[in-house]
Amino acid sequence: MSRSGGHVLALVDAARGGRSMQVEIDRLRAETDRRFGPFVLERVNPGDRERDRHRLPLSPKLLTEPAGTELLRFSLPVEVGGEGRDKFEWGVVVERLAYLARDHAFSVLFDVYVEVTELILSSGAPEVVDRYLPGL
């Protein structure tokens, strides 16, 4: 690793409270497995081959199930009922979802869903938020 690369990792480690990057990644992967693994394994994975064979999308209902809404709240701001986790943490969660899900579109779909939600929230316009994110 170059000296500048080591410096960047040291800065990232310092920003994460002095924890090493790998320790933090392992912690987030374990949290993802515990909190969201059953949802992926029991609700997302069943029927994936059949969906693929018939070129069917994932059910949008998965996004509104309790585990799906908990996953959505993971990275949303605290002010709107989210956990306020940062992009690094969300990135590790998305990476782990991609590992757990047999349907490779799932993690991408959920990431886009969260990004669009964050974009709407960032508009700062209550009428836009109320229209597109009712109940949030």
Side-chain angles (χ1 to χ4, degrees):
M1 177 184 324
S2 71
R3 292 182 75 178
S4 62
H7 180 69
V8 170
L9 284 179
L11 289 174
V12 172
D13 288 348
R16 306 243 32 103
R19 296 181 298 268
S20 81
M21 183 70 78
Q22 191 58 53
V23 168
E24 185 70 3
I25 290 169
D26 291 345
R27 184 193 66 73
L28 287 162
R29 285 177 178 162
E31 180 182 359
T32 301
D33 288 353
R34 179 180 43 78
R35 291 179 63 187
F36 310 120
F39 171 65
V40 173
L41 299 174
E42 296 166 12
R43 298 291 296 132
V44 176
N45 283 352
D48 70 304
R49 290 189 179 105
E50 196 67 21
R51 284 192 308 269
D52 191 48
R53 184 174 311 124
H54 296 288
R55 297 179 183 189
L56 298 172
L58 281 164
S59 171
K61 292 178 184 176
L62 290 173
L63 303 177
T64 59
E65 289 185 15
T69 57
E70 182 181 350
L71 187 54
L72 172 63
R73 285 192 307 264
F74 184 89
S75 71
L76 292 181
V78 173
E79 301 81 41
V80 295
E83 294 180 29
R85 307 290 278 269
D86 65 27
K87 294 295 183 187
F88 170 80
E89 292 172 306
W90 178 244
V92 174
V93 168
V94 170
E95 177 263 342
R96 190 63 181 174
L97 292 174
Y99 175 81
L100 294 171
R102 290 191 306 236
D103 187 327
H104 301 293
F106 175 72
S107 61
V108 174
L109 173 70
F110 229 99
D111 188 37
V112 169
Y113 188 64
V114 166
E115 292 298 324
V116 169
T117 302
E118 290 174 343
L119 181 64
I120 292 168
L121 289 170
S122 73
S123 74
E127 65 279 4
V128 174
V129 173
D130 291 343
R131 179 176 180 183
Y132 294 104
L133 303 173
L136 191 62

